[in-house]
Amino acid sequence: LAAFYQQIPVGHVEAGLRTHNIYSPWPEEMNRLITSRIATYNFAPTFLSKQNLLSEGVDEAKILITGNTVIDALYIVVDKIKNDQKTSEQLKRNLFESGYDITRLETNRKLVLITGHRRENFGVGFINICNAIKKLAKQYTEVDFVYPMHLNPNVRKPIELVFGKENSMSNIFFIEPLEYLPFVYLMEKSHIVLTDSGGIQEEAPGLGKPVLVMRDTTERPEALEAGTVKLVGTDLNKIFNETSDLLNDHDYYTKMSKAQNPYGDGKAAERIVNFKLN
């Protein structure tokens, strides 16, 4: 908006994502609609994103399909982690200091990584999520459940209500929020990701990790079609059953983990920089 008021051209990265429900995700859906009306350059991550923009009357000459820059960043970070021993050791220490000892996975334990922050899940939604995690942890004692907690009190209060001030379960780890590098490191080590995030729906499949999305809608339907993610909402039974299926059924897990990520090849930023308006 500030750029528009100053008549400065705007380039919209990740343009054209839509659920077609202005309240989900909230407020991102409306923010994206507004930005598309303002933008001079629209860098759509996928063909479907481009089609959304065209249906809204955006000039095709101002649209470029690029893939998503989050995949660029992900590949850069993963390469750094794998090829820089010093960085890898530092990330292990970062996680240990945050409250999770990654060396636990050296005994063939599996890791379920959990994130949550969506406003539309505040209240009953997060209570259901926490109860599902508790039920899973009781059922699968050989699996670690790691939940970097968002700072919002609306996210932390349900955790306290369900687990108490002192979590007594030995395979659930509520840790402080992580910076990008240690989070990617943890995601790369995970077996399954449970999240209500948007970007993780693109990042985790890039690492071959199945994603269960704790939302009723997604602005990334390409992932649903590709089979890299599945919507489970905040329904306790759906979260429990789908996570159980991925933990128990090797073929089901393999099908999701090996599905092709539709969000790019790591060259989105290069395409954006080289773009010239016709």
Side-chain angles (χ1 to χ4, degrees):
L1 284 172
F4 171 71
Y5 294 149
Q6 295 298 318
Q7 298 185 33
I8 298 170
V10 173
H12 187 190
V13 178
E14 212 177 50
L17 275 64
R18 299 288 185 271
T19 64
H20 307 291
N21 178 349
I22 62 172
Y23 297 112
S24 180
W26 186 88
E28 287 94 327
E29 179 79 1
M30 182 53 72
N31 288 343
R32 288 169 176 147
L33 283 162
I34 293 168
T35 306
S36 293
R37 306 311 302 169
I38 291 169
T40 306
Y41 313 103
N42 293 273
F43 302 113
T46 67
F47 175 78
L48 179 59
S49 299
K50 177 180 178 178
Q51 293 304 116
N52 288 335
L53 293 167
L54 290 174
S55 70
E56 294 167 7
V58 175
D59 184 352
E60 187 170 11
K62 296 182 178 181
I63 305 171
L64 177 69
I65 298 176
T66 61
N68 204 316
T69 54
V70 300
I71 303 301
D72 298 24
L74 179 72
Y75 288 169
I76 291 168
V77 168
V78 169
D79 183 70
K80 183 177 178 66
I81 291 170
K82 288 184 175 180
N83 294 299
D84 187 334
Q85 186 66 27
K86 186 177 179 180
T87 295
S88 181
E89 291 301 321
Q90 180 60 50
L91 293 174
K92 284 183 182 179
R93 288 192 293 271
N94 290 156
L95 283 173
F96 184 80
E97 291 165 1
S98 296
Y100 184 66
D101 184 0
I102 199 76
T103 62
R104 287 171 61 90
L105 302 181
E106 294 173 1
T107 59
N108 293 322
R109 296 182 68 83
K110 293 176 180 177
L111 166 64
V112 175
L113 177 61
I114 305 150
T115 74
H117 72 280
R118 297 234 65 84
R119 294 175 178 86
E120 55 264 39
N121 287 343
F122 289 172
V124 174
F126 272 110
I127 293 291
N128 289 343
I129 289 170
C130 289
N131 278 316
I133 296 166
K134 190 173 187 178
K135 186 177 179 180
L136 284 162
K138 286 181 178 179
Q139 178 73 24
Y140 298 96
T141 55
E142 74 286 1
V143 176
D144 283 353
F145 296 82
V146 180
Y147 191 161
M149 299 177 292
H150 196 278
L151 292 172
N152 193 312
N154 290 300
V155 175
R156 295 195 170 206
K157 186 177 179 181
I159 294 172
E160 184 178 322
L161 286 172
V162 173
F163 292 93
K165 290 187 177 180
E166 296 293 333
N167 168 41
S168 60
M169 301 189 71
S170 62
N171 61 332
I172 296 182
F173 300 86
F174 296 107
I175 65 176
E176 292 303 311
L178 299 172
E179 294 184 356
Y180 185 63
L181 259 68
F183 182 80
V184 170
Y185 180 75
L186 191 59
M187 185 162 56
E188 200 275 331
K189 298 294 184 183
S190 70
H191 188 66
I192 302 166
V193 179
L194 301 179
T195 187
D196 62 9
S197 171
I200 292 174
Q201 294 177 48
E202 300 175 346
E203 293 171 314
L207 299 174
K209 311 300 177 180
V211 183
L212 298 179
V213 182
M214 298 182 293
R215 289 163 52 177
D216 295 319
T217 62
T218 179
E219 64 277 53
R220 294 167 171 85
E222 300 94 336
L224 289 175
E225 186 175 339
T228 58
V229 312
K230 189 165 187 177
L231 292 177
V232 294
T234 56
D235 184 292
L236 189 159
N237 291 323
K238 281 186 178 179
I239 296 170
F240 178 83
N241 291 337
E242 286 294 333
T243 305
S244 296
D245 286 345
L246 286 169
L247 289 170
N248 297 330
D249 189 332
H250 176 74
D251 290 339
Y252 181 46
Y253 181 88
T254 300
K255 184 178 179 180
M256 281 191 75
S257 66
K258 293 190 179 300
Q260 184 176 359
N261 187 355
Y263 294 108
D265 56 3
K267 298 180 180 179
E270 182 181 340
R271 294 185 182 99
I272 290 168
V273 169
N274 292 330
F275 177 68
K276 291 182 174 62
L277 189 64
N278 294 334

